Amino acid sequence: MDFDRLLTRIKGILLQPNREWPVIAGEAESVASLYKRYILILAAVPVVFAFIKSSLIGYYAFGMHVRDSFGHGIWRLMLGYVLSLVLVYVVAAVVNALAPTFEGRKDPIQALKLTAYAWTASWVAGMAVVIPWIGWLVMFAGGLYAIYLFYLGLPHTMQCPAEKRLGYTALSVLIAILLGWVLAAILGAVTGAGILMHRLHHHADRAAQADVASAMAQLEDRNKRADDADNSDKTAAEHIQSMAPDRMRALLPGGLDDLTRNNARASRQDVMNMQISQARATYLGENGQRVDLTITDTGGARSLLALSGMITQDMETVTDDGFEKVRHDGDRIVHERWNDKTRSGEYAVLVGGRYAVRAQGHAKDFEVLKDAVDAVNLDALEKLRDAGVGGK
């Protein structure tokens, strides 16, 4: 396996797609070679990182740290991997069958190239599942960017006229989403992965509701502005050192009004040469109040967040019991969620395209969660957006 060639292709399709698609279209390939040299490797990325998250790192729910069993995690990894390999082939077959409808040329190998290389953005973004809270933003952005890559690749691979590619893209994506739901339902039924199913449907619904044409226009503008290959390569190659654990821990406030700090800790992990640091503390008060405050330095993963920050749109849902919002506050992204009946919720802010500060738990009102995040010096974090870059 030529890993240098693999990494060059990944970097090329993500950073310079307009230059890479003509090269891809002209390459002599087969189904076997595409799977062996590319699809089998890239498709493993999201399922492996999902296993790391669920069975090794775990996640927090209702103040508890939960991990999936190792055996169950391996079983789900294997089944999810096989289903994802099948999905790529089936979607490529659909894309090939649709070609004449949009004045394109049927070619099963080109259709598989188009599907696999466009899917690169989604596969790579799957690594972000290990990043608390903001991981879904990165994965959502990766999905939209995959749609954009598909849109760019159509004229080169399927010989689709430029004026037809928007409709071709929209119909292909709709069918791919439906097929993804079917395979996710199979995975959920076989493994009992109810939480996974909920998240898959939640994110798929958000993607389906997004204004895809508007997102692609934004991405096309971004691609034109970032056409300098040298600068792009330099950014992608940066190794950013995330904040040291003792420094992260010092960012946690000593107390929150009438809440007392308990069990403050910090750690740093290196995942696929990307450093991520996190500090966490629990604050306890009367009447069952419990607030978990988390500060995450995404370090080397910040380049992935740049895309999510650009694409993420404001969203708001209001019910009889409470609300959920995603909004932009200048360059910051804010997530708010509150349930009046359970007196529980979350307030989180993405700062400087790098630091995520989140308060979640049970409190007397939503302002307690907001005050917890505001107790962290967000402006100081904003100034540290380039900390650890090139030895800074």
Side-chain angles (χ1 to χ4, degrees):
M1 170 55 61
D2 188 345
F3 281 101
D4 287 338
R5 178 181 176 184
L6 177 69
L7 292 175
T8 299
R9 173 51 48 85
I10 293 171
K11 196 185 300 184
I13 194 64
L14 294 181
L15 301 177
Q16 304 161 33
N18 284 325
R19 302 183 186 185
E20 199 72 12
W21 275 123
V23 176
I24 290 171
E27 292 174 343
E29 296 280 9
S30 65
V31 173
S33 66
L34 284 168
Y35 267 88
K36 181 179 178 181
R37 293 199 297 238
Y38 200 83
I39 299 172
L40 287 172
I41 300 170
L42 268 293
V45 171
V47 292
V48 167
F49 274 79
F51 168 76
I52 292 172
K53 174 65 176 178
S54 64
S55 296
L56 301 183
I57 298 176
Y59 53 91
Y60 283 83
F62 305 105
M64 299 174 59
H65 186 251
V66 181
R67 281 196 187 97
D68 198 2
S69 69
F70 189 85
H72 187 264
I74 288 291
W75 167 238
R76 192 165 66 184
L77 182 156
M78 293 173 62
L79 183 59
Y81 181 52
V82 171
L83 290 177
S84 66
L85 295 177
V86 172
L87 182 59
V88 173
Y89 189 83
V90 173
V91 170
V94 170
V95 170
N96 188 49
L98 290 175
T101 304
F102 296 94
E103 299 180 18
R105 185 183 66 187
K106 292 183 69 173
D107 187 323
I109 300 301
Q110 294 290 356
L112 185 58
K113 285 183 187 179
L114 175 64
T115 304
Y117 289 122
W119 221 311
T120 301
S122 185
W123 283 330
V124 171
M127 293 189 294
V129 71
V130 300
I131 305 175
W133 175 57
I134 50 177
W136 76 264
L137 282 174
V138 178
M139 292 186 286
F140 178 59
L144 283 181
Y145 195 52
I147 295 172
Y148 173 64
L149 291 177
F150 185 96
Y151 170 81
L152 287 182
L154 275 171
H156 303 286
T157 54
M158 308 309 295
Q159 302 298 306
C160 170
E163 66 273 13
K164 298 286 185 178
R165 60 179 174 171
L166 184 58
Y168 199 162
T169 299
L171 184 56
S172 299
V173 168
L174 177 60
I175 294 173
I177 289 174
L178 293 176
L179 290 172
W181 283 353
V182 171
L183 293 186
I186 294 173
L187 181 62
V190 174
T191 65
I195 294 177
L196 177 64
M197 277 295 298
H198 171 75
R199 289 178 178 174
L200 283 169
H201 284 295
H202 180 66
H203 299 320
D205 285 343
R206 289 192 175 197
Q209 293 167 5
D211 185 348
V212 176
S214 174
M216 287 194 291
Q218 293 180 51
L219 288 165
E220 195 148 16
D221 179 64
R222 172 187 178 274
N223 190 59
K224 290 176 181 177
R225 287 184 281 109
D227 201 37
D228 189 330
D230 293 333
N231 289 338
S232 296
D233 287 346
K234 181 179 178 181
T235 300
E238 282 181 343
H239 177 74
I240 302 174
Q241 186 175 23
S242 62
M243 199 178 295
D246 57 345
R247 192 177 177 190
M248 290 288 293
R249 190 175 181 275
L251 295 173
L252 295 165
L256 299 173
D257 293 335
D258 55 346
L259 302 181
T260 303
R261 192 175 84 174
N262 181 50
N263 194 24
R265 62 264 190 209
S267 62
R268 179 160 61 186
Q269 301 178 44
D270 197 318
V271 182
M272 295 284 287
N273 204 35
M274 294 189 304
Q275 284 192 348
I276 299 172
S277 296
Q278 185 177 92
R280 175 187 294 271
T282 300
Y283 298 81
L284 303 175
E286 296 180 351
N287 301 318
Q289 290 190 92
R290 176 191 174 113
V291 175
D292 292 314
L293 180 62
T294 306
I295 306 172
T296 304
D297 176 6
T298 63
R302 71 171 193 168
S303 57
L304 292 174
L305 299 185
L307 181 62
S308 65
M310 184 191 70
I311 296 177
T312 300
Q313 299 179 1
D314 290 358
M315 308 175 190
E316 182 173 1
T317 302
V318 180
T319 67
D320 292 338
D321 299 333
F323 59 85
E324 181 168 10
K325 304 175 184 177
V326 175
R327 60 182 175 84
H328 285 75
D329 182 6
D331 292 334
R332 298 173 183 176
I333 300 176
V334 181
H335 177 229
E336 303 175 351
R337 177 176 54 81
W338 180 253
N339 187 299
D340 285 320
K341 286 188 176 180
T342 61
R343 294 290 173 187
S344 64
E346 173 181 311
Y347 181 78
V349 182
L350 178 61
V351 181
R354 171 171 174 172
Y355 301 97
V357 183
R358 176 180 66 168
Q360 62 174 349
H362 298 271
K364 60 183 180 182
D365 55 45
F366 180 71
E367 290 302 313
V368 173
L369 302 179
K370 189 174 184 299
D371 290 344
V373 171
D374 290 341
V376 178
N377 193 336
L378 301 183
D379 291 336
L381 283 180
E382 188 91 47
K383 296 176 182 178
L384 294 173
R385 65 170 66 216
D386 293 323
V389 179
K392 290 183 181 180

